[in-house]
């Protein structure tokens, strides 16, 4: 069975974009259409689910040239916060080398102006990580107490290779977040407490709504220590740009099992 057919048969899907004929329209449900801000991503002539994908690039200053979004103001079904939070985000990607070497965001509801919920990342560079999958989650929307940023995340052990198609996924089941690479839980042994993948965070996620974005996140342009021993945020930009080909995005309102994620691996192109 193709990964596309397998995905469409799984219960709980809220959205699935394969970026083919009607590139920004979700197959589930068909009325959910991504909007574009900034420079539209290039339509590349190769893909995972067919002959097309979207190519994202970073701007010269390290910000995002463009990104896709669903507006929270107009309402979207991918805001999944609250005590009963459960979710899965899946992205099929081919990384491309770029002068930009920073953290990269794939998809989620993750506004760093204290409206974080969940986000699928690459190359977070926190907790001794580098090029691995990151499954960021936030219970209260702001930075982790005592840190300038949110540090609550499951991070895999395996660097994601360039110039190859890979399936990246994150799940949250109400108790823990987990990061998957190519259909397997990419277990990372604890570096002290808590463990890094899976990552224990009971109690659900921040209920505050924000845009669902693809390819970049809204974040402060500066975060600096303040006189009270905390941190002060200023400015705003769209940053953490993804660089490479995006062949598909899927979001579920439940944590898929390892077996279900493994069923989405073989090439559909």
């Amino acid at each position: 069975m193709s990964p596309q057919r397998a995905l469409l048969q799984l219960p709980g899907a809220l959205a699935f974009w394969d970026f083919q004929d009607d590139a920004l329209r979700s197959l589930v449900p068909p009325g959910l259409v991504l909007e574009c801000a900034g420079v539209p991503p290039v339509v590349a002539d190769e893909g995972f689910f067919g002959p097309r994908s979207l190519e994202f690039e970073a701007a010269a200053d390290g910000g995002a040239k463009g990104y896709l979004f669903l507006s929270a103001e107009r309402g979207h079904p991918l805001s999944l916060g609250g005590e009963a939070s459960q979710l899965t985000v899946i992205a099929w990607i081919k990384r491309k080398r770029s002068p930009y070497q920073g953290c990269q965001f794939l998809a989620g509801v993750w506004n760093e102006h204290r409206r974080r919920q969940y986000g699928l990342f690459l190359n977070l560079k926190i907790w001794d990580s580098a090029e691995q999958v990151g499954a960021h989650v936030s219970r209260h929307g702001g930075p982790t107490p005592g840190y300038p940023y949110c540090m609550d995340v499951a991070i895999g052990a395996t660097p994601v290779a360039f110039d190859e198609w890979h399936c990246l996924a994150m799940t949250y089941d109400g108790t823990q977040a987990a990061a998957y690479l190519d259909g397997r839980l990419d277990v990372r042994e604890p570096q002290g407490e808590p463990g890094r993948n899976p990552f224990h965070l009971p109690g659900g996620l921040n209920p505050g709504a924000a845009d669902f974005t693809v390819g970049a996140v809204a974040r402060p342009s500066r975060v600096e220590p303040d006189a009270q021993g905390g941190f002060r945020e200023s400015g705003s930009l769209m940053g953490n740009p993804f660089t490479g080909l995006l062949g598909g995005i899927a979001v579920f309102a439940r944590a898929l099992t390892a077996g279900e994620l493994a069923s989405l691996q073989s090439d559909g192109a």
Side-chain angles (χ1 to χ4, degrees):
M1 183 185 298
S2 72
Q4 184 182 66
R5 185 176 176 187
L7 188 146
L8 292 172
Q9 291 184 0
L10 293 174
L14 295 177
F16 172 43
W17 292 274
D18 65 2
F19 303 125
Q20 297 306 307
D21 296 333
D22 196 350
L24 301 185
R25 184 177 296 275
S26 172
L27 277 69
V28 182
L32 197 60
V33 180
L34 289 164
E35 299 181 64
C36 183
V39 179
V42 172
V43 177
D45 60 358
E46 64 168 305
F48 185 88
F49 293 105
R52 296 166 47 141
S53 61
L54 300 183
E55 184 167 4
F56 289 78
E57 297 179 324
D61 63 0
K65 278 190 175 181
Y67 64 97
L68 306 176
F69 71 99
L70 298 171
S71 168
E73 288 187 1
R74 288 189 287 279
H76 65 75
L78 307 185
S79 183
L80 300 173
E83 292 183 3
S85 304
Q86 287 204 24
L87 61 93
T88 299
V89 183
I90 312 168
W92 292 264
I93 69 162
K94 179 185 276 192
R95 301 184 70 190
K96 296 293 185 182
R97 297 189 184 277
S98 164
Y100 174 71
Q101 301 292 315
C103 167
Q104 300 189 23
F105 180 76
L106 291 165
V109 177
W110 194 260
N111 183 316
E112 297 192 357
H113 296 285
R114 301 181 183 271
R115 291 192 290 162
R116 300 166 173 91
Q117 279 189 2
Y118 64 92
L120 181 60
F121 281 83
L122 268 172
N123 197 28
L124 278 166
K125 297 186 177 180
I126 60 175
W127 301 122
D128 299 316
S129 70
E131 304 287 349
Q132 303 96 327
V133 182
H136 246 320
V137 286
S138 178
R139 192 162 46 217
H140 49 74
T144 300
Y147 293 91
Y149 312 110
C150 180
M151 303 292 282
D152 299 327
V153 60
I155 302 176
T158 308
V160 179
F162 291 88
D163 301 314
E164 301 173 357
W165 283 104
H166 292 281
C167 179
L168 281 55
M170 69 171 290
T171 64
Y172 179 72
D173 64 4
T175 300
Q176 64 182 17
Y180 287 78
L181 177 60
D182 295 329
R184 63 179 180 83
L185 178 65
D186 192 22
V187 175
R188 187 171 179 219
E189 294 300 327
Q191 305 275 328
E193 293 297 334
R196 287 273 66 89
N197 191 28
F199 174 77
H200 191 64
L201 188 79
L205 303 180
N206 169 37
D211 289 356
F212 176 85
T213 61
V214 175
V217 297
R219 63 176 180 82
S221 28
R222 297 183 62 129
V223 180
E224 302 171 299
D226 63 24
Q228 290 72 46
F231 298 91
R232 179 178 62 253
E233 300 175 352
S234 60
S236 183
L237 55 82
M238 291 303 297
N240 305 127
F242 172 60
T243 58
L245 304 184
L246 184 61
I249 291 283
V251 182
F252 287 76
R254 65 184 181 90
L256 296 189
T257 68
E260 288 172 326
L261 287 166
S263 74
L264 308 177
Q265 301 316 302
S266 62
D267 279 347

